[in-house]
Amino acid sequence: MSHTEFKALLKKINLKPKGVKEIVLEVSDGALHGKIDMLSEMLDGRVAIAIDSEIVRYNVQINARTEKPLRSYRVDDQGVVSEVQPQGEQMEMDLGVAKKPDPIADVPEEIGREVVDEFILALLAPSYDDLPWPFYAWVVRLQEGDSYLKISSDEGMSSGKIIDLIDEYRSRVAPLAAKWDEWRKANGEQPDPEENDDADVDDEPTEEGSADSGDQEQERPVDSEDDIEMEDGGEKRVAGTNEDDLSDWEQSILEEGRAADSPPVEPVDVETIILTEKPVFEDIPFDFPTLLERKKLGETWMDIANSLGTRSTVLSAAWTKYKKRVADSRGGAA
């Protein structure tokens, strides 16, 4: 049985006699490298075709009078995107002043599906009450090579329904993913198409979230615990790095070397709450109470990420989100 895959540009659909439609695809030479012979063997034979768009399309609502978007977003230093209420509208809401509605228009936009999926996999995409499906898990499975048909069989629904749900979710989070993509590019967090499961810890955004300036010395990546050197007095620091500028993830690696010398943190901190109360959140797929126990027994976060078969950047984003959720539930305990 012959099988091949390639990416193409859908150019046109031609109507032909007897209800036949001719589909025209435009393919670059590189996309067909080593596949021409196999395609030639399939000529005049029946083939099964599955087409999946690499573009996510969505609409941005704008004020037709001012031509400004009705929604604007900001990104915090952890990459979390939130909607910003326009100042004028917020004042009107606070004062209870009725406002004559302006005409609204939809402007079509599009974004690469890869960017949207990266946003979802970073556990930064929100959940919606009217879309209560495990989209993160589905996108992970698609990234790992599962088909829509396999996912639909496991979920007990049609593949068309699965596709429609995922497309709707991608479209809904696309504006947030676009803002997040702008933020990470401005902060030097360019996506790497060759990224593998051995991603370095420095792929995480720093807490300050600021772009490197031309005069600023580039921070040395922390690739492993071998990069953490002991200084006089028993304190560990990363060579060439200002500890105050380290991300939450990098701070946790430094703390692994201090655990033996540091007294317990008082009053009760977030990690103690996690270990004692073991909170669980449905939209965070990792069992962090158990993972934190493993860390306390001597494993590093990078070791744990490898054992789970996930990238350190994905686990890092989930850990940051999980700790913040626990802290918020206790009124910001730290």
Side-chain angles (χ1 to χ4, degrees), residues 119-308:
F119 181 64
I120 295 170
L121 291 173
L123 288 168
L124 296 170
S127 57
Y128 302 98
D129 292 340
D130 60 328
L131 293 174
W133 286 275
F135 293 105
Y136 171 87
W138 290 352
V139 172
V140 168
R141 292 184 60 176
L142 291 172
Q143 292 282 322
E144 293 176 346
D146 278 0
S147 65
Y148 289 107
L149 186 61
K150 178 66 168 64
I151 296 173
S152 67
S153 176
D154 293 342
E155 295 290 344
M157 62 179 74
S158 69
S159 58
K161 177 66 172 178
I162 289 286
I163 292 170
D164 289 343
L165 288 172
I166 294 177
D167 284 350
E168 181 177 353
Y169 183 70
R170 282 171 171 158
S171 296
R172 194 173 298 191
V173 303
L176 288 75
K179 190 66 177 179
W180 170 75
D181 191 44
E182 292 177 5
W183 169 84
R184 65 172 176 171
K185 288 177 179 177
N187 287 275
E189 297 289 333
Q190 293 282 3
D192 183 2
E194 301 299 327
E195 183 181 10
N196 55 36
D197 288 342
D198 295 323
D200 296 333
V201 182
D202 65 321
D203 285 342
E204 287 303 304
T206 63
E207 290 188 356
E208 293 299 322
S210 60
D212 292 336
S213 65
D215 298 329
Q216 187 176 16
E217 183 178 350
Q218 185 175 359
E219 182 174 295
R220 191 171 71 92
V222 182
D223 290 331
S224 68
E225 292 185 318
D226 294 336
D227 292 327
I228 304 176
E229 300 178 355
M230 182 71 73
E231 292 186 350
D232 292 338
E235 185 176 14
K236 291 190 174 184
R237 288 182 178 273
V238 180
T241 303
N242 183 348
E243 186 175 329
D244 291 337
D245 294 333
L246 296 179
S247 69
D248 182 86
W249 185 250
E250 292 163 337
Q251 289 279 6
S252 69
I253 293 177
L254 285 179
E255 290 168 3
E256 291 169 0
R258 297 179 178 150
D261 301 323
S262 300
V265 178
E266 295 291 340
V268 176
D269 60 4
V270 172
E271 291 192 359
T272 300
I273 297 172
I274 294 170
L275 292 172
T276 56
E277 300 182 11
K278 302 184 185 301
V280 175
F281 306 103
E282 292 184 358
D283 59 326
I284 299 178
F286 299 105
D287 181 7
F288 277 117
T290 299
L291 299 183
L292 184 57
E293 289 176 352
R294 289 173 57 182
K295 174 181 177 284
K296 295 292 185 181
L297 291 174
E299 291 187 71
T300 67
W301 282 118
M302 284 184 287
D303 291 337
I304 294 172
N306 289 334
S307 72
L308 297 174

Side-chain angles (χ1 to χ4, degrees), residues 91-93 95-101:
M91 291 178 62
E92 290 163 358
M93 291 173 61
L95 296 174
V97 177
K99 177 186 176 182
K100 182 179 179 181

Side-chain angles (χ1 to χ4, degrees), residues 70-90:
L70 297 185
R71 292 184 175 88
S72 58
Y73 304 94
R74 65 182 174 194
V75 187
D76 68 13
D77 53 9
Q78 298 294 333
V80 178
V81 186
S82 57
E83 185 175 347
V84 180
Q85 188 72 30
Q87 186 174 5
E89 291 185 12
Q90 185 62 54

